[in-house]
C-alpha cells in the first residue's frame, strides 16, 4: 500500500479505524450494541492481524483502557503494527500503556472546546503530547478548527478530519 511519513514512521495511507471496534456505527444504539458484542478482544486481535497481513501497518484507536492488553498481545505475537491514539484525557499513563506513535486530540472534544472558546486547552494538550515524546495532532469535524490551528501555526504534527461537516 502507498505510505507517508509521520515523523520517523512510515504509515500506510489506509489506516484501520476504531469506530467498529468501539461500537460507533452512527446507525443507532442497536447496531452499536451488536458491534460491541461482536468485537471481543480475540476478534480485535484477529482483525488487526488480518489488516497487517493485508499491508495496513497502522491502527487508530480511541479506547486505551480496552486496547492496551490487545496491543501487548499483538506485540508478543510479533506484530509491527503502529498505533495512533485519538484521545483527549490524561496523556502520560495512556502513552506508557499503549505506546502509540502519535496522540491526536479527539475531534468531538476539539469541536466542543473551540465552540466554548477554550481552544487553548487543545493547544495545551498538543504541547503535553510533545513533552511526552510522541507525535501530536488534532482531529476535528469542523474544518474551521483545522484552518484556525494552521493559521495560528500550532506545533502539531498532523491533522485528522472528516470529508463531511458533522
Amino acid at each position: 500500500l502507498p505510505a507517508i511519513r509521520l515523523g520517523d514512521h512510515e504509515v500506510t495511507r489506509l489506516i484501520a479505524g476504531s469506530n467498529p471496534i468501539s461500537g460507533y456505527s452512527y446507525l443507532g444504539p442497536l447496531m452499536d450494541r451488536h458491534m460491541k458484542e461482536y468485537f471481543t478482544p480475540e476478534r480485535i486481535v484477529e482483525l488487526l492481524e488480518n489488516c497487517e497481513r493485508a499491508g495496513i501497518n497502522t491502527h487508530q484507536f480511541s479506547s486505551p483502557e480496552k486496547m492496551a492488553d490487545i496491543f501487548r498481545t499483538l506485540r508478543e505475537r510479533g506484530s509491527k503494527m503502529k498505533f495512533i491514539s485519538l484521545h483527549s484525557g490524561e496523556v502520560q499513563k495512556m502513552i506508557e500503556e499503549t505506546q502509540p506513535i502519535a496522540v491526536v486530540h479527539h475531534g468531538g472534544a476539539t469541536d466542543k472546546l473551540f465552540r466554548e472558546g477554550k481552544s487553548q486547552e487543545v493547544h495545551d494538550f498538543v504541547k503535553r503530547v510533545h513533552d511526552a515524546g510522541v507525535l501530536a495532532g488534532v482531529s476535528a469535524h469542523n474544518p474551521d478548527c483545522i484552518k484556525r490551528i494552521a493559521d495560528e501555526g500550532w506545533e502539531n504534527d498532523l491533522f485528522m478530519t472528516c470529508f463531511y461537516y458533522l
Side-chain angles (χ1 to χ4, degrees):
L1 292 171
I4 62 166
R5 299 230 31 106
L6 288 180
D8 295 333
H9 308 279
E10 186 173 286
V11 175
T12 51
R13 289 180 59 197
L14 179 59
I15 295 174
S18 65
N19 278 3
I21 291 170
S22 301
Y24 297 114
S25 69
Y26 298 101
L27 297 174
L30 181 61
M31 181 60 78
D32 293 353
R33 189 181 85 230
H34 288 309
M35 292 165 70
K36 287 177 184 175
E37 289 170 357
Y38 177 81
F39 280 108
T40 62
E42 296 79 19
R43 285 187 173 137
I44 296 170
V45 168
E46 180 182 8
L47 170 72
L48 294 175
E49 286 176 331
N50 287 338
C51 287
E52 192 168 15
R53 276 192 292 279
I56 299 169
N57 75 353
T58 308
H59 169 61
Q60 173 268 307
F61 70 99
S62 59
S63 300
E65 64 286 344
K66 177 179 182 178
M67 299 304 291
D69 288 338
I70 290 166
F71 295 163
R72 270 191 288 286
T73 299
L74 287 166
R75 289 180 179 119
E76 288 168 2
R77 294 182 180 190
S79 174
K80 301 296 183 212
M81 180 78 67
K82 296 169 180 65
F83 304 104
I84 297 174
S85 174
L86 193 58
H87 192 63
S88 59
E90 178 54 41
V91 172
Q92 191 62 44
K93 181 179 178 195
M94 185 275 300
I95 290 172
E96 289 170 8
E97 291 177 354
T98 61
Q99 301 172 7
I101 64 166
V103 179
V104 178
H105 194 271
H106 195 282
T110 299
D111 296 337
K112 181 178 184 289
L113 289 169
F114 269 69
R115 273 193 312 273
E116 294 172 350
K118 299 177 182 177
S119 63
Q120 187 59 44
E121 290 183 30
V122 180
H123 197 177
D124 292 343
F125 180 89
V126 169
K127 292 174 186 177
R128 283 194 308 277
V129 171
H130 273 155
D131 289 346
V134 298
L135 298 172
V138 177
S139 173
H141 299 97
N142 182 346
D144 292 336
C145 298
I146 301 296
K147 182 180 182 325
R148 182 168 157 205
I149 292 167
D151 288 348
E152 292 178 5
W154 291 16
E155 56 285 310
N156 60 300
D157 300 298
L158 67 142
F159 292 113
M160 290 174 60
T161 191
C162 305
F163 288 114
Y164 57 88
Y165 181 58
L166 184 64

